[in-house]
Amino acid sequence: ITRNVFKNFKMKTLIFIMLVACVASAAYGALVCGTDYCEKNPCIQPPLVCPKNTEHRARHAGKCACCPACVTLLGEGATCKIYSKELGETPSAVCKEPLKCIKRVCTKLV
């Protein structure tokens, strides 16, 4: 019986720690970027001319994704990455709409 109690305690503790980490991550992103960060800190960058097979995104690069970027669009089955602009992650390639990055693969939702 004590073994099961210990396992349950460990699982509940792990879930609690993961929940706290998620909340802290979201709060950190909101504290760092906020809702008006880009308006208060405009990107100073020359206009971009994007190469073929890429898409211009006005807010995709730089701190809090305030700067423009050329982004490669990935097709179905391509390897992808889920990212968080609040944490400063801005990939150079994303899944084409309506595809979604699921388990690191661009996947069509049915």
Side-chain angles (χ1 to χ4, degrees):
I1 293 177
T2 57
R3 180 179 252 168
N4 285 337
V5 171
F6 184 68
K7 280 184 179 180
N8 286 337
F9 176 76
K10 283 175 54 176
M11 183 58 77
K12 287 179 182 179
T13 302
L14 180 62
I15 290 170
F16 176 76
I17 290 170
M18 289 172 56
L19 179 65
V20 169
C22 289
V23 170
S25 175
Y28 175 77
L31 291 174
V32 171
C33 297
T35 55
D36 59 350
Y37 179 87
C38 294
E39 285 75 24
K40 290 181 179 178
N41 302 282
C43 181
I44 301 169
Q45 180 178 320
L48 292 175
V49 177
C50 293
K52 191 177 180 181
N53 298 324
T54 64
E55 175 181 274
H56 181 271
R57 295 211 173 165
R59 289 190 170 183
H60 188 80
K63 185 171 182 178
C64 300
C66 295
C67 297
C70 297
V71 180
T72 302
L73 299 176
L74 302 171
E76 189 171 4
T79 301
C80 57
K81 179 185 177 212
I82 296 173
Y83 69 98
S84 169
K85 71 178 181 181
E86 289 82 9
L87 298 178
E89 299 174 325
T90 52
S92 59
V94 295
C95 299
K96 283 184 204 177
E97 290 293 329
L99 303 175
K100 300 293 179 195
C101 188
I102 300 172
K103 296 183 180 179
R104 298 184 178 239
V105 176
C106 290
T107 307
K108 188 180 213 175
L109 299 177
V110 179

